[in-house]
Amino acid sequence: MSMIRSSVTISLVPEARGGPFVFWDDLENACLTAKELNFDAVEIFAPNPETLKSTFIKKSLADNGLALSAVGTGAGWVKHKLHLSLPNPAERKKAMDFIKGMIDAGAAHQAPAIIGSMQGRHGEEVDKPSAIGYLSDALEELGQYAEQHGVVLIFEPLNRFESNLINTMESGLHILDRLSTKNVKLLADLFHMNIEEVDIADAIRQSGPRIGHVHFVDSNRRPAGNGHIDLKLVSNALDEIQYQGYVSAEAMPWPDSESAAKTTIESFNRYFRN
Ligand SMILES: [Mn+2]
């Protein structure tokens, strides 16, 4: 039996509305539904570290027997317009501090933080090599910081419409190879991979043990099972690399949150529990 575990996303960030999160706003109800559907964990997109540290979240997880699979850090971008490739060193430092707070808060639940939109982009004031340099320095420091807190750091390649820095698993591996820390793992997001990879299953196999988290979602960002990704090839590739982490539903709440969660768990059971 596969040791891959199921997870579903909850956004507590109003500024992210329209984004690919299954549940919104009502953490208590989301956790109840996740438990009813037999999810192992939830992944939380929170506005700040304080929210993650609240006893309310601790209680909702504990009451429903749910683990925290990961925490998003993108609120630093959607709320404060911070990211790791900004031209101003003081602004980059603010982005680092925000992420460190999220690493601390996640680590209290043994959950890693994810660097997705916080990687930023190059542009008029920062050319691509400089942006990649800033990002590498940040991943080095944050990877070591996470290690001190007993968690890995998760880095997520994004598709070309969301970042112009690291779009494929291969370029993600390339940047991680040059770090001295080995504590940064890649996030395999099937939606981004469907846009950027030649072959999703091959990219999973080539990344192997360096994959630390999976965003389980279909080609159109609807719940897994509602698009055209061949999920059997994905589950075979994850089995082949002996992946032991979470597949976490980061998908649009289509047609609504509860149906999206239900579709996801049906696909999870079909492809990862037989
Ligand atoms: Mn993702």
Side-chain angles (χ1 to χ4, degrees), residues 156 158 187 189 192 215 221 250:
E156 179 173 22
L158 303 175
L187 198 161
D189 179 309
H192 298 306
H215 277 157
R221 229 170 198 178
E250 189 193 56

Side-chain angles (χ1 to χ4, degrees), residues 241-258:
I241 65 166
Q242 297 178 295
Y243 178 69
Q244 305 246 319
Y246 288 101
V247 294
S248 187
E250 189 193 56
M252 305 302 283
W254 185 88
D256 57 72
S257 295
E258 196 164 338

